[in-house]
Short mmCIF file of all heavy atoms in Angstrom, two decimals:
data_model
loop_
_atom_site.label_atom_id
_atom_site.label_comp_id
_atom_site.label_asym_id
_atom_site.label_seq_id
_atom_site.Cartn_x
_atom_site.Cartn_y
_atom_site.Cartn_z
N LEU A 127 -11.65 -50.50 -31.04
CA LEU A 127 -10.46 -50.26 -31.86
C LEU A 127 -10.99 -49.87 -33.24
O LEU A 127 -11.92 -50.50 -33.76
CB LEU A 127 -9.59 -51.51 -31.99
CG LEU A 127 -9.12 -52.17 -30.68
CD1 LEU A 127 -8.27 -53.41 -30.99
CD2 LEU A 127 -8.34 -51.19 -29.81
N VAL A 128 -10.39 -48.84 -33.80
CA VAL A 128 -10.73 -48.48 -35.19
C VAL A 128 -9.43 -48.61 -35.98
O VAL A 128 -8.46 -47.88 -35.73
CB VAL A 128 -11.31 -47.05 -35.29
CG1 VAL A 128 -11.52 -46.66 -36.74
CG2 VAL A 128 -12.62 -46.97 -34.51
N VAL A 129 -9.41 -49.55 -36.89
CA VAL A 129 -8.21 -49.77 -37.68
C VAL A 129 -8.45 -49.18 -39.07
O VAL A 129 -9.37 -49.59 -39.78
CB VAL A 129 -7.86 -51.27 -37.79
CG1 VAL A 129 -6.50 -51.43 -38.47
CG2 VAL A 129 -7.86 -51.93 -36.41
N VAL A 130 -7.64 -48.19 -39.41
CA VAL A 130 -7.81 -47.51 -40.69
C VAL A 130 -6.88 -48.16 -41.71
O VAL A 130 -5.67 -48.32 -41.47
CB VAL A 130 -7.50 -46.00 -40.57
CG1 VAL A 130 -7.75 -45.30 -41.90
CG2 VAL A 130 -8.33 -45.38 -39.45
N PHE A 131 -7.46 -48.53 -42.84
CA PHE A 131 -6.69 -49.09 -43.95
C PHE A 131 -6.67 -48.10 -45.10
O PHE A 131 -7.67 -47.43 -45.38
CB PHE A 131 -7.33 -50.40 -44.44
CG PHE A 131 -7.12 -51.56 -43.50
CD1 PHE A 131 -7.86 -51.68 -42.33
CD2 PHE A 131 -6.17 -52.54 -43.78
CE1 PHE A 131 -7.67 -52.74 -41.45
CE2 PHE A 131 -5.97 -53.61 -42.91
CZ PHE A 131 -6.71 -53.71 -41.75
N GLU A 132 -5.52 -48.01 -45.76
CA GLU A 132 -5.44 -47.20 -47.00
C GLU A 132 -5.68 -48.14 -48.18
O GLU A 132 -5.18 -49.27 -48.20
CB GLU A 132 -4.08 -46.53 -47.12
CG GLU A 132 -2.90 -47.47 -47.07
CD GLU A 132 -1.57 -46.81 -47.34
OE1 GLU A 132 -1.44 -46.06 -48.32
OE2 GLU A 132 -0.63 -47.08 -46.57
N GLN A 133 -6.44 -47.66 -49.14
CA GLN A 133 -6.68 -48.45 -50.36
C GLN A 133 -5.66 -48.02 -51.39
O GLN A 133 -5.80 -46.97 -52.04
CB GLN A 133 -8.11 -48.24 -50.85
CG GLN A 133 -9.14 -48.72 -49.83
CD GLN A 133 -10.57 -48.33 -50.17
OE1 GLN A 133 -10.84 -47.68 -51.18
NE2 GLN A 133 -11.50 -48.72 -49.31
N ARG A 134 -4.62 -48.81 -51.54
CA ARG A 134 -3.48 -48.42 -52.40
C ARG A 134 -3.94 -48.29 -53.84
O ARG A 134 -3.41 -47.52 -54.62
CB ARG A 134 -2.36 -49.43 -52.26
CG ARG A 134 -1.78 -49.37 -50.84
CD ARG A 134 -1.06 -50.64 -50.44
NE ARG A 134 -0.05 -50.99 -51.41
CZ ARG A 134 0.05 -52.19 -51.98
NH1 ARG A 134 -0.81 -53.14 -51.69
NH2 ARG A 134 1.02 -52.45 -52.83
N TYR A 135 -4.89 -49.08 -54.22
CA TYR A 135 -5.56 -48.94 -55.51
C TYR A 135 -7.00 -49.36 -55.30
O TYR A 135 -7.33 -49.98 -54.28
CB TYR A 135 -4.87 -49.78 -56.61
CG TYR A 135 -4.71 -51.24 -56.26
CD1 TYR A 135 -5.70 -52.17 -56.57
CD2 TYR A 135 -3.57 -51.69 -55.59
CE1 TYR A 135 -5.56 -53.50 -56.24
CE2 TYR A 135 -3.44 -53.03 -55.24
CZ TYR A 135 -4.43 -53.94 -55.57
OH TYR A 135 -4.31 -55.25 -55.23
N GLY A 136 -7.87 -48.98 -56.22
CA GLY A 136 -9.28 -49.35 -56.10
C GLY A 136 -9.58 -50.59 -56.93
O GLY A 136 -8.79 -50.98 -57.79
N VAL A 137 -10.70 -51.20 -56.62
CA VAL A 137 -11.13 -52.39 -57.36
C VAL A 137 -12.62 -52.21 -57.68
O VAL A 137 -13.42 -51.95 -56.78
CB VAL A 137 -10.92 -53.68 -56.54
CG1 VAL A 137 -11.30 -54.91 -57.38
CG2 VAL A 137 -9.49 -53.80 -56.03
N THR A 138 -12.97 -52.31 -58.96
CA THR A 138 -14.39 -52.17 -59.34
C THR A 138 -15.15 -53.45 -58.95
O THR A 138 -14.54 -54.47 -58.63
CB THR A 138 -14.55 -51.99 -60.87
OG1 THR A 138 -14.08 -53.19 -61.50
CG2 THR A 138 -13.78 -50.80 -61.39
N ARG A 139 -16.48 -53.33 -59.04
CA ARG A 139 -17.31 -54.52 -58.77
C ARG A 139 -16.93 -55.70 -59.65
O ARG A 139 -17.06 -56.85 -59.27
CB ARG A 139 -18.78 -54.18 -59.07
CG ARG A 139 -19.53 -53.60 -57.91
CD ARG A 139 -20.99 -53.40 -58.33
NE ARG A 139 -21.48 -52.07 -58.01
CZ ARG A 139 -21.72 -51.64 -56.77
NH1 ARG A 139 -21.53 -52.42 -55.75
NH2 ARG A 139 -22.15 -50.41 -56.56
N GLU A 140 -16.45 -55.35 -60.86
CA GLU A 140 -16.08 -56.42 -61.81
C GLU A 140 -14.69 -56.99 -61.51
O GLU A 140 -14.24 -57.91 -62.19
CB GLU A 140 -16.11 -55.90 -63.26
CG GLU A 140 -17.49 -55.50 -63.78
CD GLU A 140 -18.00 -54.20 -63.20
OE1 GLU A 140 -17.18 -53.27 -62.97
OE2 GLU A 140 -19.21 -54.09 -62.94
N GLY A 141 -14.01 -56.36 -60.53
CA GLY A 141 -12.69 -56.88 -60.16
C GLY A 141 -11.54 -56.21 -60.88
O GLY A 141 -10.40 -56.65 -60.78
N ASP A 142 -11.84 -55.11 -61.63
CA ASP A 142 -10.75 -54.40 -62.32
C ASP A 142 -10.12 -53.38 -61.37
O ASP A 142 -10.82 -52.71 -60.62
CB ASP A 142 -11.28 -53.67 -63.56
CG ASP A 142 -11.81 -54.65 -64.60
OD1 ASP A 142 -11.18 -55.72 -64.76
OD2 ASP A 142 -12.86 -54.36 -65.22
N ARG A 143 -8.79 -53.25 -61.47
CA ARG A 143 -8.07 -52.28 -60.64
C ARG A 143 -8.13 -50.88 -61.25
O ARG A 143 -8.10 -50.75 -62.46
CB ARG A 143 -6.58 -52.63 -60.60
CG ARG A 143 -6.25 -53.83 -59.79
CD ARG A 143 -4.73 -53.94 -59.82
NE ARG A 143 -4.32 -55.14 -59.11
CZ ARG A 143 -3.12 -55.31 -58.59
NH1 ARG A 143 -2.20 -54.38 -58.72
NH2 ARG A 143 -2.82 -56.42 -57.95
N PHE A 144 -8.19 -49.86 -60.39
CA PHE A 144 -8.02 -48.49 -60.88
C PHE A 144 -7.16 -47.72 -59.89
O PHE A 144 -7.00 -48.12 -58.75
CB PHE A 144 -9.38 -47.80 -61.10
CG PHE A 144 -10.27 -47.73 -59.88
CD1 PHE A 144 -10.14 -46.69 -58.96
CD2 PHE A 144 -11.23 -48.71 -59.64
CE1 PHE A 144 -10.95 -46.64 -57.84
CE2 PHE A 144 -12.04 -48.66 -58.52
CZ PHE A 144 -11.91 -47.61 -57.62
N HIS A 145 -6.60 -46.59 -60.39
CA HIS A 145 -5.68 -45.79 -59.58
C HIS A 145 -6.40 -45.04 -58.47
O HIS A 145 -7.50 -44.52 -58.69
CB HIS A 145 -5.00 -44.73 -60.45
CG HIS A 145 -3.73 -45.20 -61.05
ND1 HIS A 145 -2.56 -45.29 -60.33
CD2 HIS A 145 -3.44 -45.63 -62.30
CE1 HIS A 145 -1.61 -45.74 -61.11
NE2 HIS A 145 -2.12 -45.97 -62.32
N ASN A 146 -5.79 -44.95 -57.31
CA ASN A 146 -6.15 -43.92 -56.34
C ASN A 146 -5.01 -42.91 -56.33
O ASN A 146 -3.90 -43.24 -56.76
CB ASN A 146 -6.38 -44.54 -54.96
CG ASN A 146 -7.71 -45.26 -54.89
OD1 ASN A 146 -8.63 -44.93 -55.61
ND2 ASN A 146 -7.80 -46.26 -54.02
N TYR A 147 -5.28 -41.70 -55.85
CA TYR A 147 -4.28 -40.63 -55.93
C TYR A 147 -4.02 -40.03 -54.55
O TYR A 147 -4.96 -39.89 -53.76
CB TYR A 147 -4.77 -39.53 -56.88
CG TYR A 147 -5.09 -40.08 -58.25
CD1 TYR A 147 -6.39 -40.45 -58.59
CD2 TYR A 147 -4.07 -40.28 -59.19
CE1 TYR A 147 -6.67 -40.99 -59.83
CE2 TYR A 147 -4.36 -40.81 -60.43
CZ TYR A 147 -5.66 -41.18 -60.75
OH TYR A 147 -5.95 -41.72 -61.97
N TYR A 148 -2.78 -39.68 -54.30
CA TYR A 148 -2.43 -39.05 -53.02
C TYR A 148 -3.04 -39.83 -51.85
O TYR A 148 -3.69 -39.26 -50.98
CB TYR A 148 -2.88 -37.58 -53.00
CG TYR A 148 -2.17 -36.74 -54.02
CD1 TYR A 148 -2.76 -36.46 -55.24
CD2 TYR A 148 -0.89 -36.25 -53.77
CE1 TYR A 148 -2.10 -35.71 -56.20
CE2 TYR A 148 -0.22 -35.50 -54.71
CZ TYR A 148 -0.83 -35.22 -55.92
OH TYR A 148 -0.16 -34.47 -56.86
#
Side-chain angles (χ1 to χ4, degrees):
L127 304 180
V128 174
V129 187
V130 183
F131 286 77
E132 56 174 311
Q133 298 171 0
R134 294 158 54 232
Y135 54 89
V137 184
T138 64
R139 272 184 229 290
E140 294 73 36
D142 296 321
R143 287 183 183 202
F144 58 86
H145 270 283
N146 284 334
Y147 304 94
Y148 296 98

